[in-house]
Amino acid sequence: HAHIANHGYQAEVGLLSRNIKVQGAADDSEPTDPDTGSCTGQSRFGTNFAPCPWKYKTGFGGHIIVHSGGRGYVEGVELFRMGQTNVLGRYPFHFHVLGNDCADCYFKGNSIHESYYRCISIHGTHGTTVSENVAYDVTGFCYYLEDGVEEENEISFNLAAHIHPVSNVIANGNGGQTINPFSQSKDLILPADVTASGFYLTNLHNDILGNAASGGWSGFAMPNLQSPIGVHRDVNMRPGNRLTKILDGNTAHSTGWWWGHAGAFYNGGTLYYSNADATLLEYNAGRDHNRHRSPCLVDKCVTNNNCNGWCSAGEQAWFKLTNSKVFLTASPGLNSWTGRMEVSYYEAHDVALGLEALESGFGIDNFLVECRTGEEWVMPGNVHDVTANGFFWYDTGQEHIITNAKFKNCGARNNDNVYDSSPTRGCDTNSGNGCNSGSSVWSFLTHSDQFTPEIMQATASITYENCGRRFRLYDYANDPISTVSGRNQNWLDTDGTATGLNEPTIIGSGLADAGRWWHVDDDVVEDPEGPLKFIKVNDGPSRGLGHIRLFFKEELHNTVGGSSCKNGSRQDANGNLLCPAIGRIRHIGSLFDSSNDPTGGLPITANSEVAGLAGGFGWVLQLDDGPPKDLKIDQVEVDSTTPLMLVVPYPQGTSFTITAHGAYCTPSPTHSCTEQFALVDSVAHVRHSQGNTYHFDTTTNMLYVR
């Protein structure tokens, strides 16, 4: 066999033979219901095939179990034709409910191959060591933390390769983010096995280091358990929130083929009981909007006896993944639907997307994405249908910081590339190692009028090598009608290395419907491929980003996501806009008046969230129905060094009562939760105040508020 070894990655070589061999009987262990190989129904990259479901159910090999106070010390043993498909507890090797009584036990230096149900299960056992084992040709999750209570174990320097789904049933959500849940049955005792992977980590409070996963639905599956399962279902803990102990030096590759969100490291999927008496398990393999994980420095299960207790800002923690590598993955290198995470010294080679982070609060440092190495891809389907994207900014609820990142050979090569003219830049659509023509280093999700960005992304120390398209506002609907999320897109390029300007820069949307909202001076740099605007921070006296949400017509705002401003459709059946402009907001100054900006500024819709340049002369709000009698402003994100002044025209003689309300505040005899804005004598006084002031200019009939 030819084994790849290049600058980015190398193939593993594992020895399967051992002098001591434990094996299932040759005449009755192997499954008697093989896959016919004739099934279709799952389309990926131009192919249409699928495992024939409900096959390979009858594997019945041997098993070894340590239980009832026993001790297990196993080294240098070959396990062959072991495990019994869909029979709980019948695995090649099983530490069974030993608690803390087997802390010096180990399973190391062994091999497992042709297993019909897992490799090794650590079940209700703490402090054991599973190290330097080789596993190949395995049905179901291989290295397996069974109930979610297992902690302080060491799983190190193991190999898992050629992993198969149990009963030949595999999860696939096609192009969406959700997958219909799978229920427990006699032929699928653990429904999570529809995403069978090399490592099944239900609790991250273990030492997981130096392991390698090849193949499988993903490489490292980290499902979210809101509570333990099995014999530990009544234990008062939340496995999904337990803090990372060590998750370091692991590698995953040749995986992620079955679903576009199945990362080689997959921090997703939820496993839970679907019935009141907690007897029937259900597994949601995709994005679960109802069950979240929140790593917390304070264990709310213990301190509050309430695992649903709120983890305040000062108590929040982050899962930590370090020194990890993925390669040859036709999906994201890492995907996380939920759970804050710090990722450092992470690299991805030959991937569809370097990393997918859909949870608020990712810190990513020392990040290398080499979208294409030049190696020929060997996979079912068309390689040139696989994207070569570096990182995706999503449209809402994200707060990410990326530092010290390098992108190499990412983005599609086309005639519009403006940053690199090398003939080898990025990737083309060749059949050996090409990429989708829509690929870009950075992408922004812009399809939604309902979900919009606030201020949620910043970068520093970004470098590129031989990249094609750098930026793309991505609207998967390809609708020419722009969206609230598209017009509000923004990004803090703190040192200008992402844009190439090499000075602090704010990136804003370049959509024409935004008018001059982001084009605040003549030195703004335009990126036509994005399209984006690059605003140099130092060209203004105190430039920054600001965000506010406006409420002035409750019955209209309450329709957002229902009859108006949806997460998808832009028009109704009669061609009427579902999220039309009901006003405009613009910057103060002659550059933004009607002679220079005929659009009138940024459209205000029923979803009246606004992000834009702060620190200037202020934002002027003008509504089609006239000035609001009642105006509520919340979700304020404005730095005190780059103040924001809101300006609204009102008729002469209007009186004002303006009150600030403290968020999450309960009044007491020692403090108040409200403060009245002070009327001051000039616009300059408002601008240079510390806030909570206003002035009505009777000459222009403008109200100025800070």
Side-chain angles (χ1 to χ4, degrees):
H1 298 281
H3 297 291
I4 292 175
N6 60 34
H7 65 278
Y9 53 84
Q10 305 80 38
E12 302 87 4
V13 178
L15 181 66
L16 295 178
S17 60
R18 298 291 189 275
N19 289 333
I20 302 171
K21 187 172 185 178
V22 179
Q23 61 184 347
D27 57 349
D28 63 0
S29 295
E30 296 184 2
T32 58
D33 54 343
D35 190 334
T36 62
S38 60
C39 293
T40 60
Q42 294 192 12
S43 297
R44 293 285 285 158
F45 309 117
T47 67
N48 186 1
F49 72 89
C52 292
W54 312 114
K55 298 292 185 180
Y56 289 121
K57 299 182 298 181
T58 56
F60 197 83
H63 72 96
I64 300 171
I65 183 170
V66 181
H67 65 100
S68 303
R71 301 291 180 91
Y73 308 91
V74 180
E75 185 171 6
V77 176
E78 177 183 351
L79 304 180
F80 176 58
R81 290 197 297 257
M82 301 286 279
Q84 298 171 7
T85 308
N86 276 314
V87 180
L88 282 179
R90 298 302 183 252
Y91 319 124
F93 193 85
H94 183 190
F95 288 117
H96 178 72
V97 193
L98 300 170
N100 294 305
D101 296 335
C102 203
D104 61 341
C105 295
Y106 57 78
F107 182 84
K108 58 186 181 181
N110 306 294
S111 74
I112 301 169
H113 57 112
E114 198 176 318
S115 168
Y116 311 124
Y117 206 38
R118 316 211 186 287
C119 300
I120 174 170
S121 171
I122 301 175
H123 183 197
T125 301
H126 317 296
T128 62
T129 298
V130 175
S131 185
E132 299 181 359
N133 301 290
V134 174
Y136 175 79
D137 192 11
V138 176
T139 293
F141 291 109
C142 184
Y143 300 93
Y144 179 69
L145 298 175
E146 189 154 342
D147 284 357
V149 299
E150 299 81 13
E151 297 191 341
E152 304 291 343
N153 299 287
E154 178 185 326
I155 302 175
S156 61
F157 308 108
N158 302 287
L159 172 64
H162 200 32
I163 310 299
H164 318 298
V166 171
S167 296
N168 243 25
V169 178
I170 198 158
N172 178 15
N174 295 313
Q177 295 183 351
T178 58
I179 297 176
N180 291 331
F182 292 83
S183 295
Q184 186 177 34
S185 68
K186 66 181 181 63
D187 292 326
L188 195 63
I189 290 297
L190 182 77
D193 274 317
V194 296
T195 59
S197 308
F199 294 82
Y200 178 76
L201 308 175
T202 56
N203 187 319
L204 294 180
H205 200 69
N206 291 278
D207 294 340
I208 315 294
L209 67 156
N211 301 286
S214 173
W217 193 86
S218 69
F220 292 80
M222 296 170 275
N224 175 19
L225 273 64
Q226 299 281 284
S227 60
I229 64 171
V231 297
H232 298 94
R233 73 190 70 181
D234 296 325
V235 175
N236 183 34
M237 69 178 297
R238 178 153 291 175
N241 287 357
R242 297 294 290 158
L243 300 184
T244 316
K245 194 161 180 277
I246 297 176
L247 187 56
D248 180 82
N250 300 291
T251 300
H253 67 89
S254 307
T255 185
W257 190 89
W258 288 104
W259 186 42
H261 296 286
F265 287 86
Y266 185 63
N267 187 17
T270 51
L271 184 65
Y272 50 89
Y273 286 104
S274 60
N275 57 343
D277 58 355
T279 57
L280 188 67
L281 284 169
E282 191 168 83
Y283 181 65
N284 183 338
R287 190 174 192 179
D288 189 335
H289 293 281
N290 299 316
R291 300 170 183 86
H292 304 278
R293 62 201 312 169
S294 178
C296 194
L297 296 172
V298 177
D299 188 339
K300 300 297 180 176
C301 300
V302 175
T303 59
N304 297 12
N305 196 32
N306 177 14
C307 292
N308 292 315
W310 175 251
C311 185
S312 65
E315 299 170 333
Q316 290 179 355
W318 281 257
F319 298 125
K320 296 184 179 182
L321 181 144
T322 54
N323 298 305
S324 299
K325 179 188 290 191
V326 302
F327 56 93
L328 290 171
T329 299
S331 64
L334 182 152
N335 175 289
S336 180
W337 296 121
T338 179
R340 296 174 294 275
M341 186 174 281
E342 290 182 11
V343 179
S344 58
Y345 293 95
Y346 163 84
E347 57 186 86
H349 306 267
D350 284 327
V351 292
L353 174 64
L355 188 152
E356 185 171 44
L358 288 107
E359 166 65 37
S360 176
F362 258 60
I364 305 168
D365 183 53
N366 284 285
F367 178 35
L368 170 63
V369 183
E370 185 178 23
C371 294
R372 295 294 185 270
T373 65
E375 291 288 353
E376 295 285 310
W377 285 42
V378 179
M379 58 165 254
N382 303 315
V383 173
H384 58 75
D385 288 341
V386 180
T387 57
N389 295 328
F391 190 82
F392 233 112
W393 300 117
Y394 285 84
D395 52 358
T396 194
Q398 315 292 296
E399 293 174 335
H400 302 328
I401 297 173
I402 300 177
T403 53
N404 300 301
K406 180 177 182 178
F407 298 93
K408 184 176 180 181
N409 302 331
C410 297
R413 184 186 314 147
N414 60 56
N415 294 331
D416 296 322
N417 296 158
V418 296
Y419 301 98
D420 190 332
S421 59
S422 166
T424 62
R425 67 189 181 279
C427 52
D428 59 17
T429 58
N430 77 80
S431 60
N433 50 29
C435 68
N436 184 284
S437 60
S439 301
S440 58
V441 180
W442 303 96
S443 296
F444 305 74
L445 197 60
T446 62
H447 69 280
S448 184
D449 283 310
Q450 178 182 359
F451 300 116
T452 67
E454 298 173 8
I455 299 173
M456 62 183 197
Q457 47 220 27
T459 58
S461 299
I462 306 300
T463 58
Y464 306 95
E465 183 178 331
N466 211 40
C467 288
R469 184 175 186 175
R470 266 192 206 181
F471 304 103
R472 183 187 185 191
L473 294 182
Y474 178 60
D475 178 358
Y476 66 77
N478 290 317
D479 195 318
I481 300 171
S482 71
T483 61
V484 179
S485 62
R487 297 186 295 263
N488 276 274
Q489 280 293 343
N490 63 83
W491 169 1
L492 285 167
D493 179 16
T494 61
D495 58 1
T497 53
T499 58
L501 299 182
N502 295 318
E503 61 177 283
T505 303
I506 292 169
I507 301 175
S509 172
L511 292 174
D513 290 355
R516 291 193 66 104
W517 182 244
W518 296 102
H519 201 118
V520 295
D521 62 45
D522 291 337
D523 289 330
V524 168
V525 177
E526 296 194 44
D527 176 282
E529 272 199 290
L532 296 170
K533 309 279 189 180
F534 301 156
I535 304 105
K536 299 175 183 178
V537 171
N538 295 333
D539 281 5
S542 55
R543 283 183 173 171
L545 275 170
H547 167 267
I548 56 176
R549 185 172 65 171
L550 305 168
F551 277 89
F552 45 84
K553 198 172 184 179
E554 184 174 359
E555 66 274 17
L556 178 64
H557 301 309
N558 288 342
T559 66
V560 172
S563 60
S564 75
C565 298
K566 297 185 176 185
N567 186 36
S569 301
R570 319 281 165 82
Q571 296 174 298
D572 64 17
N574 297 317
N576 299 310
L577 293 177
L578 293 173
C579 197
I582 57 173
R584 299 276 171 169
I585 194 166
R586 61 178 176 84
H587 299 284
I588 295 176
S590 59
L591 187 63
F592 311 102
D593 63 21
S594 58
S595 62
N596 287 304
D597 187 1
T599 67
L602 185 75
I604 295 295
T605 69
N607 185 1
S608 51
E609 295 206 39
V610 183
L613 268 290
F617 294 105
W619 298 354
V620 182
L621 172 67
Q622 293 181 293
L623 300 176
D624 295 347
D625 290 343
K629 180 178 179 180
D630 296 295
L631 176 61
K632 175 184 175 183
I633 304 170
D634 67 359
Q635 295 190 5
V636 178
E637 297 175 274
V638 180
D639 191 280
S640 61
T641 63
T642 56
L644 172 60
M645 186 163 59
L646 183 65
V647 184
V648 186
Y650 279 95
Q652 189 72 247
T654 304
S655 60
F656 304 95
T657 301
I658 307 176
T659 307
H661 296 264
Y664 309 110
C665 181
T666 303
S668 74
T670 60
H671 69 267
S672 170
C673 292
T674 62
E675 179 182 339
Q676 297 301 312
F677 276 52
L679 174 64
V680 296
D681 57 7
S682 68
V683 174
H685 196 157
V686 175
R687 185 189 309 283
H688 298 295
S689 72
Q690 293 302 304
N692 290 8
T693 59
Y694 73 98
H695 173 75
F696 184 67
D697 188 328
T698 56
T699 304
T700 60
N701 292 338
M702 292 285 195
L703 172 68
Y704 294 80
V705 180
R706 179 182 175 191

